[in-house]
Amino acid sequence: MKPDITTATMPAAGQRATAREFLSVVFRRRWIILGLFLVTTATVLTVAFTTPLVYVSSGRVMIRRGEQQSALIPDRHIMNDWETELGSEVETVKSYPVLQRTRELLNERAQADGRRLGVNAAQVDAEVMGKSNVLGIAYQDGDPEVAQKVCDALIHAYIEYRQGSELRYPERFFETETAKAAAGLQHWTELRREFANQAGVVDLPEQRRNLISQQTSLDMRRTEVMADLAEAQTQQRIMRELEKNPDIDMPTIGQLYSNESALVEIKRRIVEQQGRIAQLRERYREESPEIQNAGVTLQTLRDMLKREVSARLQMSQSRIEVVQARKAVIDRDIEVVEAELEAMPNKESRLGEIDRQVATWKTRYDALAEKSNQAKINKNTDNSIIVYLLNPAGAPKARNTRDYVRLALAPAFSLVVGIGLAFFIDGLDLTVHTAGQAEEEIDLPVLAAITERRRSG
């Protein structure tokens, strides 16, 4: 019979549990122990048999510490923060540019063997090997061949990226900038040549002096022509005024005409004829034929003189027109010279601007050429390699192998934990289950115990 005691005190410190009591507790709490054992065993077996078997291939590289400050300065700046620097390198291995370059290398190699491979960023691993500058790079995959090939491509991609990102001779930069400077210099040089051809510019200061000298010479010639024109116009005006007065003989013009003797001869004969008429009037009457004939002869001579004078006036007009034509030519030349002199400041300004652009682009081109040569010298005299390959991608090693000894340890430990948990829970139960517990509670000996009879179904 099972006593029903709901209140009890803690057992005495000197009381010892018997094997029977131990087995009783185990039997009584068997479902806790078996349940924990079964759950642990099922979990371990599920994880072990559902986790795929992967292979890991790894390699090592050594990083040369220090950073070149400029492609033109060969000195290196040593980084003191070792953890930060190498921690950044670990993330660099997993960065997008390195992974992208890895894919490119795999695609290039796929053209040779015909097998295209990909790379998964989650399967890339990198770590610092102790407190050193050595970096371990690994890649895991279910296929050992894939793991090794991708790891090898990843290591080479990282080395290329680090060497390419280091400050060294910037060939593309200098080629681009030198090409721009050469194109700009050629453009402005060609523009200067076209402007010089269109504007007729050779040497502006010398051309300015020549134009000023030409203008001075033309002004002097114009002054002379104006004097000749004024003289010819004055002579013609005087001759026309004298022509209107019949009582005044037309004077000779002298050196202006080459056939001046004919006019002088007519004048002489007119004077002689006038003297003869005066003599005849002394001897004859006015109606006499001698005087009439002498008058007709005088009139004829006067008509001849008038025609000669008219011819001289026409010649004087022609001379004026010739002088005016000369003046017009000189005026046109002066206008051309003045126009060129007026345009000279604009030409000088435009040519000066073009020359400044040419000088600027030439200076830039020369500076780029000099700096490019200096950068090449620094590149060739300074060792710019900062990453060394210590070990290539090694043979893949299996990971997540099924170690049955370790698989058996988890259920064994679960039994120990289950038994301990069973005794802990049993200790929390205050119900009296054994004769020892009854003697302890009532402080009287137990004379007999009646076992509990199981009820028949």
Side-chain angles (χ1 to χ4, degrees):
M1 180 178 177
K2 181 178 180 181
D4 186 9
I5 301 175
T6 57
T7 60
T9 60
M10 295 300 293
Q15 183 181 0
R16 296 181 180 179
T18 63
R20 181 182 180 89
E21 292 176 350
F22 176 81
L23 294 176
S24 176
V25 173
V26 171
F27 182 76
R28 190 165 48 249
R29 305 297 179 182
R30 63 187 178 276
W31 295 116
I32 296 177
I33 299 172
L34 292 176
L36 183 60
F37 174 78
L38 293 176
V39 171
T40 303
T41 303
T43 303
V44 170
L45 292 177
T46 301
V47 172
F49 286 97
T50 56
T51 302
L53 181 63
V54 295
Y55 296 88
V56 179
S57 177
S58 62
R60 296 186 303 166
V61 296
M62 185 177 69
I63 303 171
R64 179 187 178 191
R65 300 181 64 193
E67 183 179 86
Q68 189 172 352
Q69 298 178 355
S70 171
L72 304 178
I73 303 175
D75 298 335
R76 287 184 174 270
H77 174 63
I78 302 300
M79 304 294 292
N80 295 324
D81 195 350
W82 176 85
E83 292 82 0
T84 302
E85 181 183 1
L86 292 184
S88 300
E89 294 303 321
V90 170
E91 296 302 323
T92 302
V93 175
K94 305 176 183 179
S95 63
Y96 174 79
V98 175
L99 297 179
Q100 186 65 23
R101 179 54 184 162
T102 303
R103 295 185 181 96
E104 294 176 359
L105 290 176
L106 291 174
N107 292 333
E108 294 174 1
R109 296 175 182 179
Q111 297 177 359
D113 55 15
R115 185 179 181 183
R116 301 184 66 87
L117 303 176
V119 57
N120 188 355
Q123 299 173 207
V124 177
D125 189 20
E127 64 176 350
V128 181
M129 310 302 292
K131 194 173 181 61
S132 65
N133 291 334
V134 178
L135 187 67
I137 302 175
Y139 187 81
Q140 64 179 10
D141 193 85
D143 188 343
E145 183 180 359
V146 173
Q148 185 174 10
K149 289 184 177 180
V150 175
C151 182
D152 182 71
L154 181 64
I155 293 174
H156 285 84
Y158 169 71
I159 293 175
E160 289 183 11
Y161 175 77
R162 289 302 296 135
Q163 291 179 348
S165 62
E166 183 188 282
L167 282 174
R168 52 179 185 169
Y169 174 67
E171 182 177 358
R172 180 177 300 178
F173 167 78
F174 278 115
E175 287 181 354
T176 303
E177 294 301 320
T178 303
K180 290 181 181 179
L185 180 60
Q186 183 179 2
H187 168 72
W188 285 101
T189 303
E190 184 66 19
L191 188 63
R192 188 186 190 285
R193 185 185 65 79
E194 293 178 358
F195 177 76
N197 292 336
Q198 293 176 359
V201 175
V202 179
D203 186 357
L204 284 178
E206 185 64 25
Q207 285 180 311
R208 178 186 288 275
R209 287 192 293 270
N210 293 336
L211 287 175
I212 293 175
S213 176
Q214 187 177 358
Q215 185 183 32
T216 302
S217 177
L218 289 173
D219 288 339
M220 294 176 61
R221 289 175 56 191
R222 188 177 186 278
T223 302
E224 295 176 358
V225 170
M226 289 296 295
D228 294 341
L229 179 61
E231 181 182 358
Q233 289 176 345
T234 302
Q235 289 178 352
Q236 185 186 45
R237 179 177 56 78
I238 294 173
M239 290 173 65
R240 290 188 182 280
E241 291 177 355
L242 293 176
E243 182 186 15
K244 296 177 181 179
N245 191 354
D247 295 333
I248 301 176
D249 292 336
M250 183 67 62
T252 59
I253 304 178
Q255 70 276 8
L256 296 179
Y257 304 100
S258 59
N259 193 16
E260 196 66 23
S261 60
L263 186 61
V264 174
E265 180 64 22
I266 293 174
K267 288 181 178 182
R268 185 184 64 77
R269 291 184 62 183
I270 289 173
V271 173
E272 289 178 354
Q273 189 66 19
Q274 288 176 347
R276 182 182 175 190
I277 291 174
Q279 291 177 359
L280 291 175
R281 284 177 177 174
E282 292 177 357
R283 296 171 58 186
Y284 302 100
R285 297 171 58 182
E286 289 292 332
E287 296 83 2
S288 63
E290 289 79 3
I291 294 177
Q292 293 295 328
N293 293 332
V296 172
T297 303
L298 180 60
Q299 187 62 36
T300 301
L301 292 173
R302 286 179 175 176
D303 292 340
M304 292 176 61
L305 179 60
K306 187 175 181 180
R307 286 197 299 273
E308 289 294 331
V309 171
S310 298
R312 296 300 188 275
L313 289 173
Q314 291 178 358
M315 293 177 64
S316 175
Q317 182 62 33
S318 299
R319 181 171 179 271
I320 291 174
E321 293 177 356
V322 170
V323 175
Q324 288 177 344
R326 289 173 55 197
K327 175 180 173 294
V329 172
I330 295 175
D331 289 340
R332 285 195 300 270
D333 293 341
I334 291 176
E335 290 178 358
V336 171
V337 173
E338 290 178 349
E340 291 182 358
L341 286 175
E342 290 178 359
M344 192 65 67
N346 294 332
K347 292 181 180 180
E348 290 178 344
S349 176
R350 178 59 177 166
L351 188 62
E353 180 183 358
I354 295 176
D355 288 340
R356 284 192 297 272
Q357 291 291 341
V358 170
T360 300
W361 283 105
K362 188 176 185 304
T363 302
R364 179 176 176 80
Y365 181 82
D366 294 340
L368 285 171
E370 181 182 358
K371 295 299 183 182
S372 176
N373 293 332
Q374 183 179 353
K376 286 181 180 178
I377 293 173
N378 292 337
K379 170 65 172 60
N380 293 325
T381 56
D382 178 66
N383 187 9
S384 60
I385 299 177
I386 63 171
V387 179
Y388 301 92
L389 178 62
L390 298 182
N391 298 108
K397 297 181 180 179
R399 180 179 291 182
N400 295 333
T401 58
R402 298 184 182 94
D403 189 350
Y404 295 101
V405 175
R406 295 182 180 179
L407 292 177
L409 289 176
F413 281 115
S414 69
L415 286 175
V416 175
V417 174
I419 292 172
L421 183 61
F423 275 91
F424 176 76
I425 295 175
D426 193 82
L428 296 177
D429 188 3
L430 302 179
T431 304
V432 176
H433 297 286
T434 63
Q437 292 178 351
E439 291 177 351
E440 183 180 358
E441 292 296 332
I442 62 178
D443 198 16
L444 292 174
V446 176
L447 300 179
I450 301 174
T451 58
E452 183 179 1
R453 185 177 65 180
R454 295 183 179 180
R455 295 180 182 181
S456 61

